[in-house]
Amino acid sequence: MSSILCVEDDATMADHIAQCLREAGHSVDVAGTGTLGFELAMDGHYAAIVLDRMLPEVDGLTVLSRLREAGNRTPVLVLSALASLDERVKGLRAGSDDYLTKPFELPELLARLEAVQRRAAPSGEVTRLVEGELELDLLARRVTWGGKRIDLQPREFRLLEFLVRHRGQVVTRSMLLEGVWDYHFDPGTNVIDVHVSRLRKKLDEGGAGNIVQTVRGTGYRVGGEPVSA
């Protein structure tokens, strides 16, 4: 299943959607404003976004336009009480992958989310990374070690994915800043150290200790010959 972001200011509606998605096996983050929704969408790595049209602070279509302008291509399903043809066309032209009018049935929401994810996955795209007993499901954003699930936050998943995609290579600090945080400069903080430490703790608790190796003075590595301390 997938990691889904739900941006909906109606708390009752958001709870219903989140519960439905979780019961279907998805992990869900919820944002109640357009500002927070945009920040989470840009910071996380979601398989799809459920985006309400009318939001406080920044409206849904503006959020959508900004995401697309920033190069974010996550599939977006827009929810709206505005059901006219003109409004649906506006939503699609703003960059949405589908447009669902309110009121709607939750099974239809699930089906439409599955459809936009299928359409977004290019033919032949790698959807799974394996390193020994470690397995990353890139569509579901799920990590397992020997079949046991390890729960990671979106940024931790991106960090591990980047390291595994570069298995056997030494990954430098600058590579991580650009590839995981989209920074083209060093912010002068210990953000990498903090996230690597959290990632290692969760991997260790899941039985995958020592898979992320430190190459002293250089960076980190997954795979390859063991590095002496």
Side-chain angles (χ1 to χ4, degrees), residues 163 165-172 175 215 219-224:
L163 290 168
R165 285 186 182 274
H166 294 81
R167 58 170 67 85
Q169 303 176 34
V170 177
V171 177
T172 66
M175 290 171 66
V215 182
Y220 302 94
R221 187 174 71 187
V222 167

Side-chain angles (χ1 to χ4, degrees), residues 141-153:
R141 316 306 291 174
R142 179 183 292 120
V143 176
T144 57
W145 175 266
K148 178 183 176 182
R149 181 165 181 173
I150 300 174
D151 291 319
L152 300 180
Q153 293 298 314

Side-chain angles (χ1 to χ4, degrees), residues 47 73 75 97 115-122 125:
R73 295 291 175 252
D97 297 86
V116 297
Q117 290 179 72
R118 285 196 302 271
R119 293 197 297 268
E125 179 185 29

